[in-house]
Amino acid sequence: GAVVSQHPSWVICKSGTSVKIECRSLDFQATTMFWYRQFPKQSLMLMATSNEGSKATYEQGVEKDKFLINHASLTLSTLTVTSAHPEDSSFYICSAKLGTGDYNEQFFGPGTRLTVL
Amino acid sequence: GQNIDQPTEMTATEGAIVQINCTYQTSGFNGLFWYQQHAGEAPTFLSYNVLDGLEEKGRFSSFLSRSKGYSYLLLKELQMKDSASYLCAVTDSNYQLIWGAGTKLIIKP
């Protein structure tokens, strides 16, 4: 099946620093990738939709200058949390859409747990 | 607005059967997904329904009624490892996924 990886799996950083999270589709090409954030005991919250070769589409309330998304190739999307603060501590999960058709099953990466001190 | 409703939490006994319901009101419908998510892990795909009826896959079955805006996930022969959150998600007319808040299923011995 389709496999999506994320790196790192967890990261601890100081407040004010920037953190980059990578999302890779290992055995398929993904034109579209999604970035989610999940706080404890809450459901997934879509942050942005990342399309290869174009700018990401951010959901309402998500600061595009704070959460920088780059989707430079069909197998890699990156999320950079700039000037991270403790309230950015969360579980960040990416997913990749298989194919370009309308059936949009998403394959999820294992997630990255970010803790900002 | 778009809305997906699921029970927040359910409890069942090992070996029993449990049904998790999901109702939705969305702008258009292009399919419904069920995902399983264990604590601290990413969701994993369970099922996809786009036509009315029951889809069976091993111990798990998923049912859809588009006219009622209703789906359920049926888990049989419950095992302790089935303790997880179960997420219902609907694809709307723009092919955007709308997520439910998830149902936490607790399995007791």
Side-chain angles (χ1 to χ4, degrees), chain B residues 23-75:
Chain B
T23 58
Y24 61 90
Q25 301 91 40
T26 57
S27 55
F29 176 84
N30 281 297
L32 184 145
F33 294 86
W34 282 97
Y35 283 87
Q36 180 191 61
Q37 185 178 26
H38 285 98
E41 298 180 12
T44 55
F45 171 79
L46 289 179
S47 67
Y48 172 71
N49 294 67
V50 67
L51 299 176
D52 290 350
L54 186 69
E55 296 277 345
E56 298 186 76
K57 190 183 295 184
R59 294 190 297 114
F60 293 6
S61 303
S62 57
F63 171 83
L64 175 66
S65 169
R66 289 171 296 171
S67 62
K68 295 181 179 178
Y70 168 71
S71 173
Y72 67 72
L73 179 69
L74 190 70
L75 293 76

Side-chain angles (χ1 to χ4, degrees), chain A residues 34 36 38 42-44 46 49 59 91 93 102-111 113, chain B residues 30 33 35 37 39-45 48 87 91 95-97 99-102 104:
Chain A
F34 303 87
Y36 292 88
Q38 188 176 35
Q42 296 185 27
S43 187
L44 300 171
L46 179 65
T49 301
E59 295 300 302
F91 192 42
I93 307 172
D102 295 332
Y103 173 67
N104 61 339
E105 178 184 348
Q106 295 179 26
F107 295 89
F108 286 86
R113 188 160 300 282
Chain B
N30 281 297
F33 294 86
Y35 283 87
Q37 185 178 26
E41 298 180 12
T44 55
F45 171 79
Y48 172 71
L87 308 175
T91 307
Y95 294 97
Q96 298 297 314
L97 261 184
W99 291 88
K104 182 179 180 181

Side-chain angles (χ1 to χ4, degrees), chain A residues 1-4 26-28 98 105 107:
Chain A
V3 178
V4 176
L26 298 185
D27 50 1
F28 67 102
L98 182 63
E105 178 184 348
F107 295 89

Side-chain angles (χ1 to χ4, degrees), chain A residues 14 25 34 42 53 62 66 71 74 80 86-87 97 108 117:
Chain A
K14 292 182 178 180
S25 54
F34 303 87
Q42 296 185 27
V62 178
K66 180 170 181 62
H71 193 161
L74 288 171
T80 301
E87 58 265 30
K97 179 180 169 182
F108 286 86
L117 303 177

Side-chain angles (χ1 to χ4, degrees), chain A residues 11-19 81 83-85 89 114-117:
Chain A
V11 58
I12 301 173
C13 69
K14 292 182 178 180
S15 184
T17 60
S18 294
V19 175
V81 183
S83 187
H85 288 93
S89 298
L114 170 64
T115 302
V116 184
L117 303 177

